[in-house]
Amino acid sequence: MKEIKVAENSGQANKFIEDFFTNGFSKSEVYLLTYNKERSEYLTDITDTKEYRTSEQGVFESTVNKLFSREDELRSKMASLGLTQEETERCVGEMKQERIVIIAKKGI
């Protein structure tokens, strides 16, 4: 089971994340992504969501991502979380508009 929410700002992102927790998702099942890497790290810290780690992505994918752009890195992360190509394209477009994408997925 996976759910994707798009937030306009950190307050709305926090509300969506709290809703996910209320609906049975654990901290380890909720991911927050933005186009700006530093913003992602900051928001992950303040919203108490899971940091996407290299071990979850795989060493090969992580190494390859270092050679690609932030957009390629985000696409790879979303694919490893089970998003379809259409979902990924929509999320990347939202992130380019400075929105925050929150992905909750059971069984990661």
Side-chain angles (χ1 to χ4, degrees):
M1 174 180 167
K2 112 185 128 195
E3 291 188 46
I4 303 167
K5 298 280 186 181
V6 178
E8 296 288 330
N9 54 51
S10 60
Q12 189 178 38
N14 201 44
K15 167 134 180 36
F16 289 150
I17 290 163
E18 289 300 319
D19 289 346
F20 282 136
F21 293 160
T22 300
N23 290 319
F25 286 95
S26 70
K27 209 168 41 167
S28 66
E29 297 170 323
V30 179
Y31 296 81
L32 181 147
L33 300 170
T34 69
Y35 204 78
N36 179 290
K37 191 172 191 169
E38 289 79 23
R39 184 177 183 213
S40 283
E41 291 169 358
Y42 171 75
L43 290 171
T44 296
D45 286 342
I46 67 167
T47 60
D48 203 24
T49 52
K50 185 163 185 189
E51 183 178 349
Y52 193 91
R53 299 192 186 281
T54 301
S55 61
E56 294 170 83
Q57 189 173 17
V59 175
F60 175 75
E61 288 173 326
S62 178
T63 302
V64 169
N65 280 343
K66 290 179 183 175
L67 304 173
F68 293 120
S69 69
R70 175 68 175 158
E71 190 170 319
D72 292 330
E73 178 184 353
L74 289 167
R75 288 176 193 280
S76 178
K77 287 179 180 183
M78 288 184 280
S80 69
L81 290 171
L83 273 67
T84 66
Q85 185 173 355
E86 291 170 353
E87 290 170 326
T88 298
E89 293 303 320
R90 183 178 69 87
C91 289
V92 168
E94 295 287 357
M95 286 186 276
K96 283 183 175 181
Q97 299 297 315
E98 297 190 16
R99 293 185 184 101
I100 305 162
V101 173
I102 303 106
I103 303 166
K105 183 171 181 189
K106 293 267 184 199
I108 293 179

